[in-house]
Amino acid sequence: MDIAALRNAHPEHWDMATAIRVLTLDAVAAANSGHSGMPMGMADVATVLFTKHMKFDAAAPNWIDRDRFILSAGHGSMLVYSLLHLTGYEQFPIEELKNFRQLGARTAGHPENFLAQGIETTTGPLGQGIANSVGFAMAEEMLRARYGKRVFDHHTYVIAGDGCLMEGVSQEAIGLAGRHQLSKLIVFWDNNSITIDGKVDLADRTDQVMRFKASGWHVQEIDGHDPEAIDAAITAAKGSKKPSMIACKTHIAIGSSAQDTSKGHGALTDPKLIEDTRQVYGWTAPAFEIPGEIKSKWEEAGRRGAEARFAWEERFSSVSERRQGEIHRIMAGEAPKKLSSVIRALKKQVSESAPKVATRKSSEMVLEVVNPIMPETVGGSADLTGSNNTKTGDLGVFDIDNRAGRFVHWGIREHGMAAAMNGMALHGGVRPYSGTFMCFTDYARPAMRLSALMKQPVVYVMTHDSIGLGEDGPTHQPVEHVAMLRATPNMLVFRPADTVETAEAWEIALTQQDTPSVLSLTRQNVATVRKEHKTKNMVAQGAYVLADAEGKRQAILMATGSEVEIAMAARDLLQAEGIGTRVVSMPCWELFEAQDDAVRRRVLPAGPVRVAVEAGVRMGWDRWLCGERGREAKAGFVGMDSFGASAPAEVLYEHFGITAEAVAAKVKSLL
Amino acid sequence: MDIAALRNAHPEHWDMATAIRVLTLDAVAAANSGHSGMPMGMADVATVLFTKHMKFDAAAPNWIDRDRFILSAGHGSMLVYSLLHLTGYEQFPIEELKNFRQLGARTAGHPENFLAQGIETTTGPLGQGIANSVGFAMAEEMLRARYGKRVFDHHTYVIAGDGCLMEGVSQEAIGLAGRHQLSKLIVFWDNNSITIDGKVDLADRTDQVMRFKASGWHVQEIDGHDPEAIDAAITAAKGSKKPSMIACKTHIAIGSSAQDTSKGHGALTDPKLIEDTRQVYGWTAPAFEIPGEIKSKWEEAGRRGAEARFAWEERFSSVSERRQGEIHRIMAGEAPKKLSSVIRALKKQVSESAPKVATRKSSEMVLEVVNPIMPETVGGSADLTGSNNTKTGDLGVFDIDNRAGRFVHWGIREHGMAAAMNGMALHGGVRPYSGTFMCFTDYARPAMRLSALMKQPVVYVMTHDSIGLGEDGPTHQPVEHVAMLRATPNMLVFRPADTVETAEAWEIALTQQDTPSVLSLTRQNVATVRKEHKTKNMVAQGAYVLADAEGKRQAILMATGSEVEIAMAARDLLQAEGIGTRVVSMPCWELFEAQDDAVRRRVLPAGPVRVAVEAGVRMGWDRWLCGERGREAKAGFVGMDSFGASAPAEVLYEHFGITAEAVAAKVKSLL
């Protein structure tokens, strides 16, 4: 690489870009870990983007009409930290960079959205950023359609690497963006031909240009070190009516002895290598010091968007007060005040009418009353719309000619759907929920974990949540999935028993600001067990006494979802034999765990035999069966200890012994 | 659709194909559930394939050199059941078809490999079959390279639908097959333009032909109802040096009133619709009856491969006896006799030298002695070869010009890797193991579940298994993943403490025939805790006493993996204060659960305080903490209850309080 030629051709650009490179080298060396090569290679693209195109104001990181920048190749985190420092984000003084990858620093190994302003999403697991970006761009389209260009009119920029493009989820994202002609989405592919194992060619020879074109993208190929080419390509991309991919041929770890090698992908920490590289760059300032002139040019870039922001604020102030209030509310992720009364009215109605319906249908009943009062909800399904019951009458379908549509046909793309929902939630102004079969949480899992880690209140509507789905068989029958979700930190897992509990679960899910929710819903009909109307949201307690023992309390049955009905029937059998039996419905373990000891003890007092019934694996139930702090309790479990089978649902419940009779027998065997 | 024209053009073909169509209609009607449209639409392709090209002999379903047929669009299961019945597979009498989707039948809702011969893989979760097929084709290439064309020389045929191609994993499969020019892989795309939600166009407009070409495939487009075109396309595909995709334009639910609609995708059960369709087809035989002439033509097709099989048997008998024995052994999935002695020798050596190494390095040490004596092992990594330590010196890299290579650079494709490993294991003759970071089991999850459901002894080498990976931060730090894996039925989850336990875990994993294994391995160095050589494989007991209490037994510490060392240090602290403390290493819960009560009680006797320590979530530990059957035990847990953070490993262990001091303090607080 003829670095001198690059420098001479565009000296000012060179200096600014190289500030990113040396900060990266310095921070990685200080941490003695990290990834140097990518920020070094993509510094030119990032510099042109941030100094000439990105609409942002470092002084107002949360400006809602800013362009979004997503580093999908998250291991190159020093790229974004350098940019945030250089452009003058308050939260990124040089000390943060010196503390790269240290406990408590905002400069984590991979960018974490919850640690600092200016980091739009958490990346690192590859492919997530590009898939998030589809949600960002969709949210922008939807909000622009609803509130007009004067409020929402911005781009989403992404830097993706070879790893992002090899992950399958990228195909789901590419397909979605192409299908919906998300023209304000612009992806830079860091085409450096290197991965950890060696040359990309070792594992992939896909013609990425042809691949993106196949899905309807506008594609350009440029030298990723030529600032003029970069500038022109971004301008052209902005003018396209399709999503844009700019293939940037770059040299990873440019200018170092590790350039164009897999070594360059990782942490360059050898002092001599670093010194030599600085020399090649013609950079003489000490570590972590940026010459004043260069720093001020960067800070100027950081202020470049101020004018646009002022203009926007003026425009925004001309929006009606009601609309301003609504926009503030939805961007803050606050539920409308009306929500609780609407939920309460539905609860009252269904406890009286006591319908026998599948809880997926219950969920639809809730959405029918919620969607009209929450313009920010956006629903969808991974090609199971009729089964997931996520589409209500008034939503309209999001499409090229209907950007105001609030229902998304995601296609058979559970992973892309979940990642795009994360993007929508991160963008703000949209509260996404979508569905698939519970068993296919497997496909969505990497993005679902990120909802939790990123503290995004996405709602997953997972129907067909047990062997109760019947004939489709074990590939479609979750047995371990509810346990898996419960094992995940910061995730509310609801398994409601009937329409009342489903309404309560939805109310909680829709008022979350930092926590995703999963609704585990049945395919099969279940009885209404909450026939007495209570204003109070009982699901909010996590677990509660649904029916108490008559006479001496000898047994406590714990159950969730479709098995609450079974527990109630078992109680009837036991009470008929004079065995006083309490039934505890446990729709949300996480919320129950958050209760005071006293509440938990009131619901699950020591002494009686405890039997849990759930059409899933036992994993986790021992927490409740043996009593907290190991208090003695004779205990048993009725559920699954294997995969399911293909047969009608009733046959399977009988076959696997999940019946009222089996529960009653288990209790009696323990007494 | 002009059905009459189709029938008249190729009357014999029409009758044979229509036998599939009516059997499908009849079985779905009998079950009152299922998917009619796909088998109806793809009957022509299947008929040409099975009558003219597929090398198989219905009388010898397990013939090792048979062509493999994979129905990736598994919901169309009646296609494969019809074919197996019609061609005369013993396990598929008409009664099986009449019992479609009923308990105990081989004709499950989706094809289940473990239920019957002739079903090569379990499909239903979309995209899995096409991704399995990459493993099938790789296994064939590898075995052909090692044993010659006279033993292994067959094709892998796949039928994939739009759903398969929308799932991201398909891109990973397409990329891999293209990269490796797997020319004996032939994929039929059922291009029927319909999904459950409606037209494919609702969610996707990808030009699939261009997409496959971009990854180096040979692509043809044909009318999927024209037998001559199908025949010619298969012939051309067989002649290509690339993997082949044949885009078959078809009409879903052809000839019925639901043709070309999403209704046609599902269960057509209306008697009038069925009767009308049979009439359109010109089919007069009663339900489940195939006219004798048509059935005999199909049975002839089922016998068509007998001659080739006899010729193969003759060729095989000319192979040396030693080789024959080896081939029989590897196809049966049996470990070589030498394995246990090799493992024992390594155990002896490392208990003496007591190295302080990461268990991922321990795993490499095991593989270094195992791979030379097990020619069937095939290793790999999802672009983390140097980190997962899965590549040993003698393997060679699988490539176009080195088909005998036994290491696969999977690229950044964890999901495709896992699904391809399933394919290799299903093919037989190959025992696949591959690695990624434990956190990215998330990406591989759908295929990992299928390893368990399909009873395939795939080995997952999951390194960097806790916050011990340090600076990469919470996106890369598993906390819930070991719990998730333990929740999955039929999966052995090993978290070995040192090199000795790692060797024992590998020995168990490599002798499994029906169960996949996950090795949860550290990034960071750990001490050897098993310093006294024992011939016996202690990991096989699942949990065992590593160090017993001195004096009165007041506490039992339970730990796995890197935390066993911490438990041992905590024991030192407690013993120093006179608190008799036993340490139980629990490398594999599933194996411990399988022990007799007496064994479990010996290891975990009632009475002492129990504290578990594991750098993961508590989920599942209560099973062991409260004692079986709710026996009383004061108990505590030291581990994680949130996501991790970015910092050096030691700092994180301290920060999250997973230390010997914390464990000792917990014990004392409970005494």
Side-chain angles (χ1 to χ4, degrees):
Chain A
M1 205 61 215
D2 187 350
I3 299 292
L6 286 180
R7 196 169 60 211
N8 294 336
H10 305 92
E12 185 178 325
H13 165 84
W14 173 264
D15 284 344
M16 293 181 78
T18 298
I20 297 171
R21 296 186 174 105
V22 294
L23 285 174
T24 297
L25 284 168
D26 294 344
V28 170
N32 198 30
S33 89
H35 299 82
S36 313
M38 186 282 202
M40 293 163 75
M42 285 299 281
D44 296 304
V45 169
T47 299
V48 174
L49 177 63
F50 273 70
T51 59
K52 293 199 157 49
H53 292 276
M54 271 279 288
K55 179 172 78 171
F56 75 106
D57 180 352
N62 298 327
W63 173 26
I64 67 178
D65 198 32
R66 69 190 181 280
D67 286 346
R68 267 53 166 192
F69 173 69
I70 295 171
L71 188 69
S72 190
H75 52 276
S77 56
M78 272 308 301
L79 182 73
V80 69
Y81 302 148
S82 300
L83 288 163
L84 295 173
H85 168 69
L86 290 166
T87 54
Y89 279 71
E90 199 189 342
Q91 294 191 334
F92 284 89
I94 195 72
E95 287 68 34
E96 282 291 340
L97 279 64
K98 290 180 179 170
N99 270 324
F100 180 49
R101 295 184 152 231
Q102 304 308 306
L103 193 66
R106 297 199 177 94
T107 46
H110 293 80
E112 310 288 359
N113 68 298
F114 50 89
L115 291 182
Q117 298 170 334
I119 301 174
E120 303 286 1
T121 181
T122 292
T123 50
L126 293 171
Q128 295 298 323
I130 188 171
N132 291 161
S133 75
V134 171
F136 275 92
M138 279 186 175
E140 195 267 350
E141 292 281 359
M142 289 169 176
L143 293 167
R144 181 151 37 87
R146 189 175 334 133
Y147 299 108
K149 273 178 79 145
R150 60 182 176 167
V151 186
F152 291 97
D153 189 18
H154 54 263
H155 284 86
T156 302
Y157 294 100
V158 181
I159 291 183
D162 293 297
C164 295
L165 299 194
M166 268 195 253
E167 291 289 359
V169 70
S170 66
Q171 182 65 23
E172 303 184 20
I174 293 166
L176 279 165
R179 165 62 185 82
H180 288 291
Q181 293 186 19
L182 301 176
S183 61
K184 305 193 88 173
L185 173 59
I186 297 174
V187 175
F188 302 93
W189 166 36
D190 178 15
N191 179 15
N192 61 36
S193 311
I194 293 294
T195 70
I196 292 175
D197 275 4
K199 296 213 175 297
V200 168
D201 174 77
L202 258 183
D204 195 44
R205 292 181 180 165
T206 295
D207 179 337
Q208 300 291 358
V209 169
M210 199 193 289
R211 177 185 170 206
F212 276 79
K213 281 186 180 163
S215 287
W217 285 57
H218 174 257
V219 185
Q220 302 172 77
E221 293 180 86
I222 61 166
D223 172 356
H225 300 299
D226 175 351
E228 288 170 22
I230 299 165
D231 186 22
I234 299 174
T235 302
K238 283 169 158 175
S240 164
K241 291 198 170 145
K242 304 172 174 180
S244 261
M245 192 276 264
I246 304 174
C248 308
K249 189 75 209 123
T250 65
H251 296 276
I252 197 166
I254 188 169
S256 77
S257 59
Q259 179 185 307
D260 300 327
T261 68
S262 58
K263 185 192 166 192
H265 171 94
L268 301 178
T269 54
D270 172 41
K272 179 153 176 353
L273 178 149
I274 294 171
E275 195 38 51
D276 288 352
T277 309
R278 295 169 77 96
Q279 231 162 41
V280 168
Y281 290 166
W283 191 273
T284 53
F288 290 114
E289 279 185 30
I290 305 297
E293 199 188 343
I294 298 174
K295 184 69 167 76
S296 29
K297 273 183 204 141
W298 267 115
E299 284 171 0
E300 202 178 297
R303 285 188 303 267
R304 202 175 37 86
E307 208 172 315
R309 180 167 68 88
F310 297 143
W312 178 89
E313 276 172 0
E314 208 166 290
R315 287 200 305 278
F316 187 68
S317 68
S318 73
V319 171
S320 79
E321 237 168 79
R322 201 192 56 77
R323 286 226 132 178
Q324 283 192 34
E326 181 172 293
I327 292 168
H328 283 309
R329 181 183 67 73
I330 64 173
M331 291 303 294
E334 284 160 10
K337 292 208 184 66
K338 253 193 278 184
L339 178 64
S340 65
S341 61
V342 153
I343 293 282
R344 227 175 298 150
L346 178 67
K347 276 168 59 179
K348 186 154 191 302
Q349 179 211 314
V350 291
S351 5
E352 282 161 10
S353 59
K356 190 173 167 71
V357 293
T359 52
R360 63 188 168 119
K361 182 71 190 167
S362 307
S363 170
E364 184 182 342
M365 291 161 72
V366 179
L367 290 168
E368 288 285 6
V369 300
V370 161
N371 282 335
I373 64 155
M374 292 185 76
E376 67 268 39
T377 54
V378 168
S381 170
D383 198 47
L384 290 166
T385 299
S387 299
N388 299 142
N389 299 69
T390 44
K391 187 161 179 275
T392 60
D394 58 325
L395 288 182
V397 173
F398 178 77
D399 209 334
I400 298 162
D401 54 7
N402 186 28
R403 296 307 202 190
R406 286 165 59 197
F407 186 84
V408 181
H409 286 289
W410 294 109
I412 299 111
R413 302 185 181 102
E414 301 81 8
H415 194 178
M417 167 177 89
M421 286 204 288
N422 283 340
M424 286 177 167
L426 287 158
H427 180 282
V430 166
R431 189 176 274 274
Y433 71 86
S434 286
T436 183
F437 286 171
M438 173 59 91
C439 218
F440 303 141
T441 56
D442 281 356
Y443 281 81
R445 167 76 203 162
M448 291 179 76
R449 182 180 206 248
L450 282 165
S451 304
L453 178 59
M454 296 198 289
K455 306 185 185 190
Q456 296 305 306
V458 171
V459 184
Y460 294 94
V461 183
M462 300 313 202
T463 68
H464 298 61
D465 73 343
S466 75
I467 52 167
L469 78 72
E471 291 89 342
D472 273 345
T475 52
H476 287 52
Q477 290 163 354
V479 296
E480 71 275 43
H481 297 80
V482 171
M484 286 167 46
L485 294 165
R486 287 174 180 150
T488 307
N490 193 39
M491 189 173 271
L492 294 177
V493 184
F494 297 100
R495 197 159 185 266
D498 66 4
T499 309
V500 177
E501 282 195 2
T502 304
E504 292 179 340
W506 263 114
E507 182 179 17
I508 299 164
L510 290 170
T511 48
Q512 295 304 306
Q513 297 199 300
D514 301 316
T515 303
S517 299
V518 180
L519 300 184
S520 172
L521 304 173
T522 69
R523 174 197 185 198
Q524 72 275 28
N525 289 344
V526 293
T528 295
V529 292
R530 285 274 296 279
K531 290 182 187 166
E532 192 190 326
H533 175 59
K534 281 205 173 92
T535 307
K536 192 178 163 194
N537 186 322
M538 296 307 295
V539 171
Q541 189 176 287
Y544 64 94
V545 179
L546 178 64
D548 212 345
E550 288 165 31
K552 190 188 164 216
R553 187 163 57 219
Q554 291 180 267
I556 299 178
L557 304 180
M558 295 175 271
T560 71
S562 39
E563 285 70 65
V564 173
E565 187 180 5
I566 290 172
M568 291 294 277
R571 177 178 175 276
D572 289 346
L573 295 175
L574 291 163
Q575 289 285 168
E577 298 190 42
I579 301 169
T581 303
R582 165 181 285 194
V583 171
V584 173
S585 181
M586 299 191 73
C588 184
W589 288 12
E590 296 78 20
L591 292 173
F592 191 53
E593 281 174 4
Q595 301 300 314
D596 285 347
D597 272 15
V599 173
R600 290 210 300 266
R601 232 170 290 160
R602 259 203 311 278
V603 176
L604 296 179
V609 159
R610 293 183 185 183
V611 170
V613 50
E614 185 171 72
V617 295
R618 181 170 177 151
M619 171 76 78
W621 274 103
D622 286 282
R623 163 86 196 262
W624 311 114
L625 286 174
C626 69
E628 291 175 43
R629 296 191 215 88
R631 251 184 278 113
E632 182 174 50
K634 289 190 172 180
F637 179 72
V638 174
M640 299 291 293
D641 64 359
S642 69
F643 293 110
S646 171
E650 322 78 67
V651 175
L652 291 174
Y653 268 86
E654 199 67 43
H655 174 70
F656 288 107
I658 306 176
T659 61
E661 291 72 23
V663 173
K666 176 73 82 180
V667 167
K668 288 195 279 177
S669 77
L670 293 166
L671 279 173
Chain B
M1 207 57 216
D2 187 349
I3 299 292
L6 285 180
R7 197 170 58 210
N8 293 336
H10 305 92
E12 186 180 326
H13 165 84
W14 173 263
D15 284 344
M16 291 182 79
T18 298
I20 297 172
R21 296 185 174 107
V22 294
L23 285 174
T24 298
L25 284 168
D26 294 343
V28 170
N32 199 28
S33 88
H35 299 82
S36 314
M38 187 281 205
M40 292 163 75
M42 283 300 278
D44 295 304
V45 169
T47 300
V48 174
L49 177 63
F50 272 70
T51 60
K52 291 198 160 45
H53 292 276
M54 272 277 287
K55 180 172 77 172
F56 76 106
D57 179 351
N62 297 327
W63 173 26
I64 67 179
D65 197 32
R66 70 191 181 279
D67 285 347
R68 267 51 167 193
F69 174 69
I70 295 171
L71 188 71
S72 191
H75 52 276
S77 56
M78 271 310 301
L79 182 72
V80 69
Y81 302 147
S82 300
L83 288 164
L84 295 173
H85 167 68
L86 290 166
T87 54
Y89 279 71
E90 200 190 340
Q91 293 190 334
F92 283 89
I94 194 72
E95 288 67 36
E96 282 292 339
L97 278 65
K98 290 180 179 169
N99 270 324
F100 181 49
R101 296 183 150 230
Q102 304 309 305
L103 193 65
R106 297 200 177 94
T107 47
H110 293 80
E112 310 288 359
N113 69 298
F114 49 90
L115 291 182
Q117 298 170 336
I119 302 173
E120 303 286 0
T121 182
T122 292
T123 50
L126 293 171
Q128 295 297 325
I130 188 171
N132 292 161
S133 76
V134 171
F136 274 92
M138 279 186 175
E140 194 267 349
E141 292 281 358
M142 289 168 175
L143 293 168
R144 181 152 36 88
R146 191 176 330 134
Y147 299 107
K149 275 177 80 143
R150 61 181 174 168
V151 185
F152 291 98
D153 188 19
H154 54 263
H155 283 86
T156 302
Y157 294 101
V158 181
I159 291 181
D162 292 298
C164 294
L165 299 193
M166 269 195 250
E167 291 289 0
V169 70
S170 67
Q171 183 64 25
E172 303 185 20
I174 292 165
L176 279 165
R179 166 60 185 82
H180 288 291
Q181 293 185 20
L182 301 175
S183 60
K184 305 192 86 172
L185 174 59
I186 297 174
V187 174
F188 302 93
W189 167 36
D190 179 14
N191 180 16
N192 61 36
S193 309
I194 293 295
T195 70
I196 292 175
D197 275 4
K199 296 213 174 298
V200 168
D201 175 77
L202 258 183
D204 195 45
R205 291 181 181 166
T206 295
D207 179 337
Q208 300 291 358
V209 168
M210 198 192 291
R211 177 185 170 206
F212 276 78
K213 281 187 180 164
S215 288
W217 285 56
H218 173 258
V219 185
Q220 303 172 75
E221 293 180 87
I222 61 167
D223 171 357
H225 300 300
D226 175 349
E228 287 169 22
I230 298 164
D231 186 23
I234 299 175
T235 302
K238 282 170 159 175
S240 164
K241 289 196 171 146
K242 303 171 174 182
S244 261
M245 192 274 264
I246 304 173
C248 308
K249 191 75 208 120
T250 64
H251 296 277
I252 199 166
I254 188 171
S256 77
S257 59
Q259 181 186 305
D260 300 326
T261 69
S262 58
K263 184 191 167 195
H265 170 95
L268 302 178
T269 54
D270 173 41
K272 180 160 179 340
L273 179 148
I274 294 171
E275 195 38 50
D276 288 353
T277 309
R278 295 169 76 96
Q279 231 162 38
V280 169
Y281 290 166
W283 191 272
T284 53
F288 290 114
E289 278 183 34
I290 306 297
E293 200 189 344
I294 299 174
K295 184 69 166 75
S296 19
K297 272 183 205 141
W298 266 114
E299 284 172 1
E300 202 178 299
R303 284 189 305 267
R304 201 176 38 87
E307 207 172 317
R309 181 168 66 88
F310 297 144
W312 177 89
E313 276 173 3
E314 207 166 292
R315 288 200 305 279
F316 188 67
S317 68
S318 73
V319 171
S320 77
E321 237 167 77
R322 200 191 59 74
R323 287 224 132 178
Q324 282 192 35
E326 182 173 292
I327 292 167
H328 283 309
R329 181 183 68 73
I330 64 174
M331 291 303 296
E334 284 161 10
K337 292 207 184 69
K338 254 193 278 187
L339 178 64
S340 65
S341 61
V342 154
I343 293 283
R344 226 176 296 150
L346 178 68
K347 277 169 60 180
K348 187 155 192 299
Q349 180 212 313
V350 291
S351 7
E352 281 160 11
S353 59
K356 190 173 167 70
V357 293
T359 52
R360 62 188 169 120
K361 182 71 190 164
S362 307
S363 170
E364 185 183 343
M365 291 161 71
V366 179
L367 290 169
E368 288 286 6
V369 300
V370 160
N371 281 336
I373 65 154
M374 292 185 74
E376 68 268 36
T377 55
V378 168
S381 169
D383 199 46
L384 290 167
T385 300
S387 299
N388 300 142
N389 300 68
T390 44
K391 187 160 179 274
T392 59
D394 58 326
L395 288 183
V397 173
F398 177 76
D399 209 335
I400 297 161
D401 54 7
N402 186 29
R403 296 307 202 190
R406 288 164 56 197
F407 187 83
V408 181
H409 285 289
W410 294 108
I412 298 110
R413 301 184 180 104
E414 301 80 9
H415 194 178
M417 169 177 87
M421 285 204 288
N422 283 339
M424 286 177 168
L426 287 158
H427 180 281
V430 165
R431 188 175 274 274
Y433 71 85
S434 287
T436 182
F437 287 170
M438 174 58 92
C439 218
F440 302 142
T441 56
D442 281 357
Y443 282 79
R445 167 78 202 159
M448 291 178 77
R449 180 180 207 249
L450 281 165
S451 304
L453 178 58
M454 296 198 289
K455 307 187 183 185
Q456 297 304 306
V458 170
V459 183
Y460 294 94
V461 183
M462 300 311 203
T463 70
H464 298 60
D465 72 344
S466 74
I467 53 167
L469 79 73
E471 291 89 343
D472 274 344
T475 52
H476 287 52
Q477 291 164 354
V479 297
E480 71 275 42
H481 298 79
V482 170
M484 287 167 46
L485 295 166
R486 287 174 181 152
T488 307
N490 192 39
M491 189 174 271
L492 294 177
V493 184
F494 296 100
R495 196 158 185 265
D498 66 4
T499 309
V500 177
E501 282 195 2
T502 305
E504 292 179 340
W506 263 114
E507 183 179 15
I508 299 163
L510 292 170
T511 48
Q512 295 304 306
Q513 297 200 299
D514 302 316
T515 305
S517 298
V518 180
L519 300 183
S520 171
L521 303 173
T522 69
R523 177 196 184 199
Q524 74 274 28
N525 289 343
V526 293
T528 295
V529 292
R530 285 274 297 280
K531 290 183 187 164
E532 192 191 325
H533 176 59
K534 279 204 175 91
T535 308
K536 191 179 164 194
N537 186 320
M538 297 305 296
V539 171
Q541 188 175 288
Y544 63 93
V545 179
L546 178 64
D548 212 343
E550 289 165 31
K552 190 191 163 213
R553 188 163 56 219
Q554 293 182 267
I556 299 178
L557 304 180
M558 293 174 274
T560 71
S562 40
E563 285 70 66
V564 173
E565 188 180 5
I566 291 172
M568 291 294 277
R571 178 178 174 276
D572 289 346
L573 296 174
L574 291 163
Q575 288 286 165
E577 298 190 43
I579 301 169
T581 303
R582 166 181 285 194
V583 171
V584 172
S585 180
M586 298 191 73
C588 183
W589 289 12
E590 296 78 19
L591 292 174
F592 192 53
E593 282 175 4
Q595 301 299 314
D596 285 348
D597 271 15
V599 173
R600 291 208 300 266
R601 233 171 289 159
R602 259 201 312 277
V603 176
L604 296 177
V609 158
R610 294 184 186 183
V611 171
V613 50
E614 185 171 72
V617 296
R618 180 171 178 149
M619 169 77 78
W621 273 104
D622 286 282
R623 162 86 197 262
W624 312 113
L625 287 172
C626 69
E628 293 175 42
R629 294 191 215 87
R631 253 183 276 115
E632 181 175 50
K634 290 191 170 180
F637 179 71
V638 173
M640 300 291 294
D641 63 359
S642 69
F643 293 111
S646 172
E650 322 78 70
V651 176
L652 291 174
Y653 268 86
E654 199 68 42
H655 174 71
F656 288 106
I658 306 175
T659 61
E661 291 70 25
V663 173
K666 176 72 82 179
V667 167
K668 289 195 279 179
S669 76
L670 293 166
L671 279 173

